[in-house]
Amino acid sequence: MGCAQGKCCLPRPPGRGSGGGRGPGGHGGAALGRADVPGAGLVLEYATLAVAGLYPDSPGRESQDAHLVATRFAGDPDLHLFAVFDGHGAAGAACAGFAREALPRLLAAAAGAGSLAADPAAAFREAMMGANAEMHAAAGVDDSMSGTTAVAALVAGGALHVANVGDSRAVAGVWRAGRVIAEDLSWDQTPFRADERARVKACGARVMSVEQVEGMRDPESEGWVPDEGDPPRVWARDGLYPGTAFTRSLGDLAAEAVGVIAEPEVKSVEITPAHLFFVVASDGVFEFLSSQEVVDMVAMYQDPRDACSAIAAESYKLWLEHENRTDDITIIIVHIRDSENGATKWTLAAPEHQ
């Protein structure tokens, strides 16, 4: 796949507070917000956009994505939480909505107890696994064959902590060697990964594509190619379920028996002047766009709402080029600016990009 909109890089860093002009499609319904991070001398300017998927066979289908933005999280002006949840299965929307309520509540409890500041990775693990346990016990949510992925990014002063279960993704745009480079802040947990494949197999799972299950391909072959045919999926040893294309999630009670777990992978990075922005989005964005292509598109726009609209439009188009439907698409883009002048912490020698 080529670079989005035919542009791979910019002649200068877009910077905190600079960048390209407004896109031709306008804001497309994206919402804009702003939050100060006084302890680190930063300002976050963020935009969110949710686009329901196109499902010709189910025209009334509700979106199964959910997202949250919680600034001044737990009453702390230096804490800001951004998260995306991508539900799946018959009760996917309910699972995503449940996780959107439970995760910040459990993280806030950790913040109040001091454990979030002391060990953010451990606090995130406890909160996500706690949300999973609560979902199993909730009377109004049937998560036996439904669930949600979850990716959450917490700005904590001058640090960024990202926790992920599933195949939604977080990525930062970082200025390096004269261009904006994508720095993945999460790792997709799917059977394409040898370590995750081995883990679920050790729990008794079979890993096969639908074509392999139906006998159209060698069931022992592991030569799956991304974006070509059905992906490898997780199956019970003696049953045609759960068939998940991811190896970690919240909910999915039946899948837990074959290794689909709720324990997140957590990455922490120091926010440096080279960190220009970060993106948190569902796999409706990343199914056909790479992290670098998404970062390239964000870098083209000064207003994060325009970047949200452009990425959603490109994702939508690519889905329809490959399939007769689109997935739900949810995007959060967060620009990182210097609080004193709204721009980068260094002087840009190159002329302003137009």
Side-chain angles (χ1 to χ4, degrees):
M1 199 183 310
C3 290
Q5 297 190 354
K7 245 183 167 176
C8 291
C9 58
L10 297 175
R12 59 172 293 280
R16 296 177 183 157
S18 59
R22 181 165 296 175
H27 301 319
L32 185 68
R34 173 187 167 100
D36 293 325
V37 191
L42 300 174
V43 172
L44 307 178
E45 184 179 56
Y46 59 87
T48 63
L49 180 63
V51 179
L54 173 66
Y55 290 84
D57 295 335
S58 303
R61 177 186 178 279
E62 65 177 326
S63 172
Q64 293 186 307
D65 280 3
H67 68 279
L68 72 87
V69 174
T71 57
R72 297 180 60 89
F73 183 67
D76 189 329
D78 282 331
L79 292 181
H80 308 280
L81 180 66
F82 306 86
V84 168
F85 309 89
D86 184 354
H88 50 265
C95 291
F98 186 94
R100 177 175 56 190
E101 181 279 328
L103 180 62
R105 172 171 48 79
L106 294 170
L107 272 180
S115 57
L116 182 60
D119 192 343
F124 258 123
R125 291 188 184 100
E126 184 175 346
M128 283 201 173
M129 295 174 74
N132 182 63
E134 287 189 6
M135 192 181 300
H136 292 340
V141 181
D142 179 6
D143 72 344
S144 56
M145 294 290 287
S146 299
T148 182
T149 64
V151 59
L154 178 71
V155 174
L160 179 61
H161 309 287
V162 177
N164 179 60
V165 289
D167 56 1
S168 293
R169 191 180 303 175
V171 58
V174 183
W175 183 254
R176 290 188 186 135
R179 63 169 296 188
V180 184
I181 299 296
E183 177 186 298
D184 282 321
L185 300 173
S186 66
W187 305 272
D188 297 356
Q189 297 142 353
T190 77
F192 279 114
R193 278 176 48 176
D195 59 338
E196 287 292 284
R197 192 162 65 244
R199 186 180 59 76
V200 297
K201 283 185 172 183
C203 294
R206 296 179 297 159
V207 177
M208 296 186 290
S209 66
V210 169
E211 290 93 342
Q212 288 174 300
V213 170
E214 294 178 345
M216 294 184 290
R217 285 187 56 196
D218 178 3
E220 301 300 323
S221 171
E222 293 190 348
W224 308 286
V225 178
D227 300 335
E228 290 186 15
D230 191 67
R233 298 177 181 273
V234 179
W235 307 90
R237 186 178 298 279
D238 300 311
L240 294 180
Y241 69 92
T244 63
F246 43 82
T247 54
R248 304 193 190 203
S249 69
L250 304 181
D252 291 299
L253 181 60
E256 284 189 2
V258 287
V260 178
I261 60 175
E263 181 178 358
E265 293 178 303
V266 183
K267 180 174 182 177
S268 297
V269 299
E270 178 187 355
I271 299 174
T272 71
H275 286 85
L276 307 178
F277 55 81
F278 63 89
V279 180
V280 182
S282 64
D283 76 329
V285 169
F286 292 107
E287 182 72 18
F288 300 112
L289 288 173
S290 69
S291 293
Q292 187 62 54
E293 287 171 322
V294 168
V295 163
D296 289 337
M297 294 183 74
V298 175
M300 293 172 64
Y301 298 90
Q302 179 176 359
D303 191 320
R305 293 175 294 181
D306 295 321
C308 281
S309 299
I311 292 168
E314 182 70 5
S315 301
Y316 202 91
K317 177 178 75 71
L318 290 170
W319 271 98
L320 293 179
E321 287 177 1
H322 288 81
E323 302 189 20
N324 65 349
R325 68 173 184 96
T326 77
D327 199 358
D328 302 320
I329 294 168
T330 301
I331 314 167
I332 303 173
I333 297 174
V334 183
H335 283 186
I336 305 170
R337 307 186 189 278
D338 188 285
S339 61
E340 292 185 2
N341 54 27
T344 56
K345 290 180 178 292
W346 72 92
T347 301
L348 300 174
E352 185 76 11
H353 175 66
Q354 299 298 321

